[in-house]
């Protein structure tokens, strides 16, 4: 295997801890936003499932999910 280490790391998938963190956040979303997140990771990270998300993209996913959850909670306050 003659590939540089950096390239291999780029394709390293997230581990159980990261998967659990993402699923915890995803469970706070409604079905429409869950579907939207799945399409987003597929389009941006070529990840068919949460387990396929590259480790280097984990933080970006967490930020995105937290922002979406905050937005939805803010919307609820406005509606209520």
């Amino acid at each position: 295997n003659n590939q540089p280490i950096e390239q291999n790391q780029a394709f390293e998938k997230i581990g159980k801890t990261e998967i659990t963190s993402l699923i915890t956040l995803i469970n706070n979303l409604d079905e429409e936003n869950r579907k939207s997140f799945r399409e987003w990771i597929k389009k941006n990270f070529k990840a068919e499932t949460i387990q396929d998300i590259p480790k280097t993209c984990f933080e970006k996913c967490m930020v995105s999910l937290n922002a979406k959850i905050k937005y939805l909670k803010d919307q609820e306050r406005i509606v209520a």
Side-chain angles (χ1 to χ4, degrees), residues 56-74:
T56 54
C57 303
F58 171 71
E59 204 54 50
K60 201 178 280 187
C61 291
M62 290 295 287
V63 168
S64 174
L65 285 169
N66 277 311
K68 178 61 81 175
I69 290 165
K70 182 182 184 319
Y71 172 77
L72 291 171
K73 284 188 176 156
D74 288 348

Side-chain angles (χ1 to χ4, degrees), residues 4-15:
I5 291 169
E6 299 87 51
Q7 273 190 325
N8 287 340
Q9 285 174 339
F11 295 105
E12 189 180 340
K13 307 284 186 238
I14 59 174

